Amino acid sequence: IATIAGILGAFLLPIVGALVDYTDHRKVLGATVAALLIAVQAVQIYTVQDTWFVMSILQAINSFFYQVLSLAAYAYLPEIKQAVGEVTMVTYSSQF
């Protein structure tokens, strides 16, 4: 599962990153991927022995969706730093 998610990420995250950085679709992409993440998790509630293989494929795709969602969220950090100031951002970030 992790291998499939890693391969998907390696090939597709640079493209998604370019979309996030160079277009105005960051918020729409984040919301769409969050909805897809929730939808796949809802489907996985019904995992039984007969559906295990299909659910493992969905889990690999879901891991990729999580990577895309993280990418979209991290893309906001420079704007947050400009809004709150560098000292506030460094102080907050150093607590984690």
Side-chain angles (χ1 to χ4, degrees):
I1 294 172
T3 302
I4 294 169
I7 290 170
L8 283 173
F11 285 110
L12 298 177
L13 280 179
I15 297 166
V16 175
L19 287 172
V20 167
D21 288 340
Y22 295 108
T23 66
D24 295 331
H25 302 299
R26 184 184 327 170
K27 188 174 182 179
V28 172
L29 179 75
T32 302
V33 172
L36 289 170
L37 194 90
I38 292 168
V40 171
Q41 290 298 323
V43 169
Q44 286 184 329
I45 290 172
Y46 302 105
T47 303
V48 294
Q49 188 173 0
D50 295 335
T51 62
W52 182 88
F53 183 71
V54 174
M55 296 302 176
S56 65
I57 294 170
L58 281 177
Q59 183 58 35
I61 294 168
N62 212 31
S63 297
F64 172 71
F65 287 160
Y66 178 75
Q67 293 173 3
V68 173
L69 186 60
S70 295
L71 182 137
Y74 291 150
Y76 281 104
L77 288 179
E79 292 174 16
I80 293 171
K81 183 189 136 224
Q82 288 177 349
V84 299
E86 187 171 350
V87 174
T88 304
M89 189 74 173
V90 169
T91 303
Y92 180 75
S93 298
S94 66
Q95 296 175 4
F96 297 99

